[in-house]
Amino acid sequence: CGVFGAFSTAGNPVLEEVYLGLYALQHRGQESAGVAWIDKSDQIRTIKGQGLVHLALNQAELATIDASSAIGHVRYSTAGGSGLANVQPLAANYCRGPVAIAHNGNISNASGVRRYLENRGAIFQSTTDTEVILHLMAHQPHKTELDALVDSLRKLKGAFSLAVALKDRLVAARDPWGFRPLALGKRDDVYYISSESCALDLVGADMIRELEPGEILVIDDEGVRSLRIPVEPRRKYLCSFEFVYFARPDSLISGRSVYEVRKNLGKMLAKGAPCNGDCVTCMPDSGTVAAMGYAEESGIPYEKAIVRNRYSGRTFIEPTQRVRELGVRKKLNPIRELIRGKSLTVVDDSIVRGTTSRRMVELLREYGASEVHMRISSPPVKFPCYYGIDTPTREELAAARANETALCAEIGATSLGYLTGDDLIQAIGLPEWEVCTACFSGNYMEDGERHEELDI
Ligand code: SF4
Ligand code: MG
């Protein structure tokens, strides 16, 4: 998912800015989009819809609304289904005031917390993990809604980068592990919070800085205040998959250019899994930058031999297998003239269920390729993610059910090569202990933290 928020200290309307921010974060979720703000009579207001930002929301309508603080969300369902009740921001008028929350990540102890609260009378309206935050806030008496929010965040495990609208305040928070990115920006009288810096670029804001893991920023008319989620400091655990696939290449995460990291991934892949094809090509768009790195390092010419329909979304995000299967053809078509009789090295960012690679290899062979060497710019995805990326169960993961040789045969490729875990860390350039690689390595964070323990 993607979250965005804007607060004008001069009282200027910001909802159109939030719309633009969401537009730039579209790649982080295409199932639904929504915005929330608090109106002049302290009522929480939301506008939400299914599908892409420009279909779910009406920019012209938002531009006429007088709200100087607002948040927004683009959704890619991980926890909970894709129904309307789960479209964010989630909002409530609770006893201390109105509150709306936009959440990126996945709260790994959500079902335990939910059970606990339901046993004490809470009635949940949705199946999202995010709703536990609202109920935790209401569950115990606090002086202010900000106190309630801080106290609830303390009880959560897993991943959350949040934009929260409270009366006269915009709050941003990042979980103590820092799984998902979140940045603070500013232009003139407006402060912005955004999942990725590319959205700050669109609204013309400068990135002030990224939030620290475990940090809470409170933005109001006085400016920005920094608080901490009151837990003992944790090990940083930034999601490596943001660099591999999820984030846009024009974003900066942890001070690193996603583009440069992706190019490095391709270069390291060329060293570790070399290949002497006629040309290097990519599975657009997710494999493009890595393929350029691969070509540069190997000295083999790069051709854009597979054309992507510019108006199609990300295949993976289609919620059913049937549409996912169709999706590959809907979206990608090779150029016959570049394929016939050629030995191709095809770079993609990841193999999850194996659908994309299998269909593409089949298509390339149909178009006359003599050899198809698949090269993947991440290690095999063998384990599910519990922190906000929609990897399926272990049984559905291609690399979990088959070893490399068997998988190569399954997708019909001439050869299959992956990046190693060490090369992934090296390409990202952050210390190994600050990066989550659990879906590749199975090393989830410290013992027990993933589990649904409860301490309310
Ligand atoms: Fe990212 Fe994988 Fe860790 Fe999930 S398990 S947070 S996708 S690196
Ligand atoms: Mg792809």
Side-chain angles (χ1 to χ4, degrees):
C1 304
V3 303
F4 195 84
F7 186 101
S8 162
T9 54
N12 293 317
V14 295
L15 267 163
E16 191 176 21
E17 307 268 299
V18 172
Y19 176 91
L20 292 172
L22 295 181
Y23 191 76
L25 296 174
Q26 184 75 83
H27 61 287
R28 296 187 71 88
Q30 295 135 349
E31 252 178 56
S32 64
V35 295
W37 71 97
I38 293 159
D39 72 13
K40 304 289 178 224
S41 54
D42 292 348
Q43 292 302 302
I44 195 84
R45 303 280 301 274
T46 59
I47 299 179
K48 306 175 187 187
Q50 301 279 12
L52 298 179
V53 173
H54 71 281
L55 299 170
L57 302 169
N58 181 336
Q59 184 179 359
E61 178 195 347
L62 294 181
T64 65
I65 297 171
D66 182 19
S68 60
S69 171
I71 61 170
H73 186 264
V74 286
R75 176 168 166 83
Y76 147 62
S77 68
T78 49
S82 54
L84 249 190
N86 289 335
V87 176
Q88 293 197 29
L90 293 186
N93 282 303
Y94 109 103
C95 62
R96 296 277 173 263
V99 46
I101 300 184
H103 170 209
N104 171 213
N106 200 22
I107 298 165
S108 51
N109 63 341
S111 57
V113 174
R114 182 175 172 136
R115 222 175 304 120
Y116 175 94
L117 293 167
E118 282 178 336
N119 284 334
R120 283 155 187 80
I123 297 171
F124 279 71
Q125 307 283 325
S126 76
T127 53
T128 64
D129 55 330
T130 311
E131 198 182 343
V132 302
I133 303 174
L134 290 173
H135 288 284
L136 278 172
M137 288 176 71
H139 175 67
Q140 278 173 358
H142 295 91
K143 284 212 189 84
T144 68
E145 66 270 51
L146 183 61
D147 290 346
L149 177 65
V150 174
D151 190 44
S152 344
L153 298 185
R154 179 175 72 77
K155 293 164 183 159
L156 303 179
K157 306 275 200 256
F160 52 90
S161 279
L162 303 175
V164 183
L166 301 177
K167 184 171 148 43
D168 303 324
R169 283 170 177 164
L170 175 65
V171 180
R174 196 171 177 204
D175 66 69
W177 300 270
F179 279 103
R180 303 276 146 233
L182 194 62
L184 172 71
K186 188 169 194 289
R187 181 179 57 92
D188 304 329
D189 59 299
V190 186
Y191 287 99
Y192 299 91
I193 49 182
S194 176
S195 286
E196 287 183 39
S197 61
C198 65
L200 298 175
D201 292 338
L202 175 56
V203 297
D206 293 323
M207 178 155 97
I208 300 177
R209 63 183 180 86
E210 296 173 72
L211 273 79
E212 298 281 324
E215 187 174 20
I216 300 171
L217 291 181
V218 182
I219 305 168
D220 59 21
D221 286 341
E222 315 288 295
V224 183
R225 232 169 1 122
S226 169
L227 309 172
R228 293 261 135 207
I229 299 174
V231 292
E232 74 270 28
R234 313 278 179 161
R235 188 148 66 106
K236 190 172 166 186
Y237 234 63
L238 178 66
C239 169
S240 59
F241 209 69
E242 292 276 350
F243 290 105
V244 167
Y245 167 80
F246 209 55
R248 236 167 70 164
D250 51 336
S251 287
L252 281 178
I253 297 180
S254 219
R256 274 157 184 73
S257 152
V258 173
Y259 179 92
E260 279 168 16
V261 168
R262 242 168 240 177
K263 200 147 176 212
N264 279 341
L265 293 170
K267 288 184 181 174
M268 316 241 8
L269 179 63
K271 284 188 205 157
C275 176
N276 292 316
D278 295 314
C279 74
V280 175
T281 191
C282 68
M283 211 81 100
D285 291 325
S286 56
T288 306
V289 181
M292 287 164 58
Y294 193 104
E296 194 176 304
E297 180 65 35
S298 62
I300 302 169
Y302 170 74
E303 296 282 5
K304 215 161 158 73
I306 302 169
V307 174
R308 176 174 192 272
N309 181 329
R310 171 174 308 167
Y311 303 98
S312 63
R314 289 189 154 188
T315 334
F316 192 85
I317 282 151
E318 307 274 16
T320 65
Q321 180 65 17
R322 153 139 181 89
V323 185
R324 271 196 294 275
E325 296 253 354
L326 258 183
V328 178
R329 275 215 189 232
K330 251 166 62 187
K331 173 165 114 162
L332 301 172
N333 193 35
I335 301 172
R336 281 173 204 276
E337 291 63 32
L338 296 177
I339 306 293
R340 197 175 301 127
K342 294 281 166 55
S343 166
L344 305 169
T345 303
V346 182
V347 179
D348 199 4
D349 68 287
S350 58
I351 293 179
V352 183
R353 292 177 176 83
T355 317
T356 310
S357 298
R358 182 165 47 77
R359 298 305 301 268
M360 186 46 67
V361 172
E362 194 180 289
L363 207 55
L364 290 168
R365 292 211 187 269
E366 221 178 285
Y367 282 29
S370 61
E371 296 180 340
V372 183
H373 302 276
M374 280 303 303
R375 292 293 179 271
I376 307 300
S377 64
S378 64
V381 177
K382 290 187 180 169
F383 303 91
C385 173
Y386 300 105
Y387 316 120
I389 296 281
D390 182 25
T391 42
T393 58
R394 277 214 78 179
E395 300 70 60
E396 290 173 274
L397 287 170
R401 55 163 199 264
N403 65 23
E404 255 172 71
T405 321
L407 183 54
C408 180
E410 188 183 314
I411 64 174
T414 313
S415 75
L416 171 64
Y418 276 103
L419 193 76
T420 66
D422 287 346
D423 286 352
L424 172 69
I425 295 291
Q426 240 197 70
I428 293 173
L430 291 170
E432 188 179 357
W433 56 89
E434 290 190 359
V435 178
C436 177
T437 57
C439 52
F440 307 119
S441 61
N443 297 328
Y444 294 98
M445 61 174 134
E446 298 101 283
D447 253 17
E449 284 187 348
R450 184 173 77 67
H451 303 300
E452 305 221 328
E453 62 197 77
L454 204 50
D455 138 45
I456 295 228

